């Protein structure tokens, strides 16, 4: 759709309007965002699957072509509605009377509960329907039933009628939309509304002053009151925060490191933590999918299903060997993955992971699925040693930028070994690409991108642990 301050208000624009008006103003004027191009596999296969199953609730429904005016009574999918004031895409419309233009509206959501914000969304679509010449009769939200154990549409979904819950919202939309339209047409850019959303905003370089190099939103878990003070005082850089600004213990530590440019390294804690490691070491990282539509026996919506791991094993002589598993089709990954992981049966040392909760959860899911393997899997779970926990309590460098993810920590300690050169740069990317490949297939280079990412995690753990050892032994350079 053509973007200009005079375009109709879209669903997406309406939803993001509450976050930052300046962002909308930039977007609606077609200003260029500094965000990297998105590869075509980075779309949510999961959302697509939920909609596909939901459509099976309406046998005989058909897709509406863009701009097609609905003439026949019955069910229509993906209907684009546009008037001079509003535009939206309705997931499912049931045209009940073609002369009176009466319709029922169904909104599909890939969540296991009905959130209040969904009502705003349906109210907006109802107003959009009216502006497009329809007479909305009843409105429904279709969301996922958390107890579903199979992808049968009658079991997978809960259908809630929300018609009576929309009234107040419907009344307020025209006035709010008019105010939004005025704002988008004004020549002067609206004020900033700084918040964590700015960290992901592609307009930050043109919105924030150049002098801000250590954004205040690197501080984790700022509460509403703290954020309000920051907005009122326009403190955008951590170094602007005065001592009187109330912070919790972790925020205080991070503020101090950035203000004094002095890294924090707790030698006693690191020494104590490293002394708990038992040789020979293993380094383990899983990648897992959590599809909203249960895929295999015993799974619930959003249940974890591991499809890949990278394991590095030290032998008694200190030599390291690597074992990978990557499932390459749509069948159940658990049998193949478990068989390959069983090299851990005979392993007795510590298993280094980054975020033990996730790896522990995967090991326990595998144990529940295969009781014959529960013994050695429980043994492996009991030997997990969480590197992230140690870093979180023992180290903070300015380069962490408020985060303790392996990606951020590795980038700060070993910039040449960062994830920036990889095709897959996050767990979410990995999930997207894996889902894309098992459905559409791909080249060996695509599969290799998944292997490279998972290996980078285990190799990264080896490097980070090595750096902690150097600091403890006093053999490495102190960071700046
Ligand atoms: S950087 Fe923040 S304040 Fe500026 S436009 Fe983006 S979201 Fe709004």
């Amino acid at each position: 759709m053509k973007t200009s301050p005079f375009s109709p208000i879209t669903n997406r624009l309406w939803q993001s309007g509450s976050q930052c008006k300046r962002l909308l103003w930039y977007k609606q004027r077609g200003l260029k965002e500094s965000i990297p191009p998105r590869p075509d596999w980075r779309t949510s296969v999961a959302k697509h699957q939920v909609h596909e199953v939901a459509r099976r609730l309406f046998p005989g429904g058909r897709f509406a072509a863009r701009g097609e005016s609905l003439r026949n009574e019955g069910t229509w999918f993906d209907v684009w509605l546009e008037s001079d004031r509003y535009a939206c895409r309705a997931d499912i419309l049931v045209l009940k009377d073609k002369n009176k233009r009466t319709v029922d509206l169904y909104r599909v959501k890939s969540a296991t509960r009905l959130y209040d914000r969904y009502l705003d969304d349906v109210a907006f679509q109802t107003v959009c329907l009216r502006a497009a010449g329809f007479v909305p009769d009843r409105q429904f939200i279709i969301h996922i039933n958390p107890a579903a154990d199979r992808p049968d549409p009658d079991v997978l979904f809960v259908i809630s009628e929300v018609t009576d819950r929309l009234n107040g919202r419907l009344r307020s939309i025209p006035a709010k939309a008019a105010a939004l339209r005025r704002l988008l047409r004004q020549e002067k850019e609206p004020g900033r509304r700084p918040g964590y959303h700015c960290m992901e905003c592609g307009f930050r370089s043109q919105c924030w002053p150049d002098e801000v190099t250590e954004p205040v939103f690197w501080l984790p878990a700022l509460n509403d009151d703290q954020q309000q003070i920051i907005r009122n005082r326009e403190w955008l850089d951590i170094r602007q925060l005065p001592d009187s600004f109330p912070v919790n213990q972790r925020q205080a530590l991070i503020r101090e490191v950035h203000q004094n440019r002095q890294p924090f390294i707790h030698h006693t804690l690191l020494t104590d933590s490293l002394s708990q490691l038992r040789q020979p070491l293993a380094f383990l990282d899983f990648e897992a999918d959590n599809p909203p539509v249960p895929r295999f026996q015993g799974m619930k919506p959003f249940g974890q299903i591991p499809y890949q791991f990278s394991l590095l094993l030290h032998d008694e002589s200190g030599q390291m060997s690597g074992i990978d598993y990557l499932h390459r089709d749509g069948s159940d990954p658990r049998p193949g993955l478990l068989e390959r992981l069983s090299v851990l049966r005979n392993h007795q040392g510590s298993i280094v992971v980054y975020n033990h909760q996730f790896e522990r959860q995967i090991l326990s899911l595998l144990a529940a699925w295969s009781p014959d393997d529960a013994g050695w899997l429980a043994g492996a779970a009991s030997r997990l040693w969480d590197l992230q926990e140690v870093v979180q309590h023992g180290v903070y460098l300015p380069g962490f930028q408020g985060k303790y993810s392996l990606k951020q920590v590795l980038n700060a300690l070993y910039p040449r070994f960062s994830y920036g050169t990889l095709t897959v740069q996050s767990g979410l990317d990995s999930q997207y690409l894996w889902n894309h490949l098992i459905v559409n297939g791909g080249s060996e280079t695509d599969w290799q991108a998944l292997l490279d990412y998972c290996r980078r995690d285990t190799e990264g753990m080896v490097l980070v642990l090595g750096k902690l050892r150097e600091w403890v032994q006093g053999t490495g350079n102190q960071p700046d």
Side-chain angles (χ1 to χ4, degrees), residues 72-327:
N72 297 328
E73 288 168 8
T75 305
W76 295 86
F77 303 136
D78 262 354
V79 185
W80 179 252
L81 301 155
E82 187 169 345
S83 63
D84 57 341
R85 285 171 295 154
Y86 304 100
C88 67
R89 185 181 297 283
D91 296 329
I92 298 167
L93 270 188
V94 179
L95 181 59
K96 301 200 291 192
D97 185 321
K98 64 180 178 184
N99 298 317
K100 293 184 185 157
R101 311 298 286 161
T102 336
V103 286
D104 285 347
L105 168 70
Y106 291 81
R107 189 78 169 127
V108 181
K109 293 291 181 185
S110 312
T112 50
R113 52 172 287 208
L114 198 163
Y115 292 97
D116 247 24
R117 63 177 185 276
Y118 295 166
L119 298 174
D120 294 326
D121 181 26
V122 174
F124 178 83
Q125 293 215 336
T126 303
V127 171
C128 183
L129 270 168
R130 284 181 185 155
F134 289 94
V135 181
D137 185 18
R138 301 170 73 192
Q139 292 90 347
F140 301 85
I141 290 176
I142 301 177
H143 69 86
I144 290 174
N145 170 13
D149 57 1
R150 56 187 189 277
D152 178 341
D154 292 323
V155 177
L156 183 62
F157 295 112
V158 175
I159 305 177
S160 306
E161 178 164 6
V162 294
T163 313
D164 293 340
R165 298 171 66 182
L166 300 180
N167 290 338
R169 289 176 165 86
L170 290 174
R171 277 193 295 276
S172 65
I173 287 177
K176 283 187 189 165
L180 190 54
R181 251 179 239 113
R182 279 196 299 279
L183 180 126
L184 293 173
R185 287 174 191 177
Q186 74 187 34
E187 285 308 313
K188 187 172 175 305
E189 63 181 8
R192 289 187 206 103
R193 190 172 185 281
Y196 284 111
H197 48 265
C198 295
M199 297 298 94
E200 307 294 325
C201 177
F203 296 109
R204 188 150 59 92
S205 59
Q206 51 197 296
C207 175
W208 283 31
D210 292 341
E211 310 82 79
V212 179
T213 54
E214 303 186 33
V216 70
F217 296 105
W218 283 355
L219 288 182
L222 289 165
N223 62 33
D224 289 348
D225 291 343
Q226 289 174 306
Q227 292 194 48
Q228 196 52 53
I229 298 172
I230 285 168
R231 275 187 208 115
N232 293 346
R233 307 300 292 263
E234 295 231 312
W235 289 327
L236 295 179
D237 196 298
I238 294 182
R239 291 162 300 176
Q240 291 175 290
L241 295 180
D243 289 346
S244 56
F245 180 71
V247 283
N248 65 28
Q249 208 178 351
R250 184 165 300 279
Q251 292 164 347
L253 172 87
I254 293 175
R255 176 175 65 179
E256 195 179 316
V257 168
H258 285 279
Q259 289 187 338
N260 302 333
R261 304 300 301 176
Q262 283 295 322
F264 165 77
I265 300 176
H266 195 313
H267 283 88
T268 314
L269 187 143
L270 293 183
T271 306
D272 186 44
S273 301
L274 295 189
S275 71
Q276 291 163 16
L277 283 169
R278 294 286 164 261
Q279 304 293 336
L281 295 184
F283 296 80
L284 174 65
D285 181 66
F286 286 114
E287 298 302 328
D289 192 21
N290 56 344
V293 180
R295 222 176 262 162
F296 305 111
Q297 187 206 347
M299 283 185 71
K300 291 273 193 303
F302 296 103
Q304 299 279 5
I305 181 95
Y307 56 84
Q308 179 179 14
F309 72 78
S310 168
L311 177 66
L312 295 177
L313 288 165
H314 269 153
D315 64 19
E316 299 297 342
S317 65
Q319 292 295 310
M320 190 130 69
S321 57
I323 296 170
D324 294 313
Y325 181 80
L326 174 59
H327 199 70

Side-chain angles (χ1 to χ4, degrees), residues 57-68:
L57 290 164
F58 301 87
R62 49 167 289 206
F63 283 91
R66 181 147 179 167
E68 178 179 357

Side-chain angles (χ1 to χ4, degrees), residues 19 34 36-37 114 175 179 188 213 221 227 244 269 275 343 353 429 432 443 458:
Q19 211 167 58
S34 51
L114 198 163
K188 187 172 175 305
T213 54
Q227 292 194 48
S244 56
L269 187 143
S275 71
V343 289
V353 294
D429 273 359
Y432 280 138
S443 67
T458 44

Side-chain angles (χ1 to χ4, degrees), residues 417-443:
F417 202 76
S418 80
Y419 289 65
T421 53
L422 299 179
T423 305
V424 174
Q425 299 191 5
S426 69
L428 195 58
D429 273 359
S430 171
Q431 257 185 24
Y432 280 138
L433 181 55
W434 183 73
N435 274 289
H436 175 83
L437 293 179
I438 60 169
V439 173
N440 305 301
S443 67

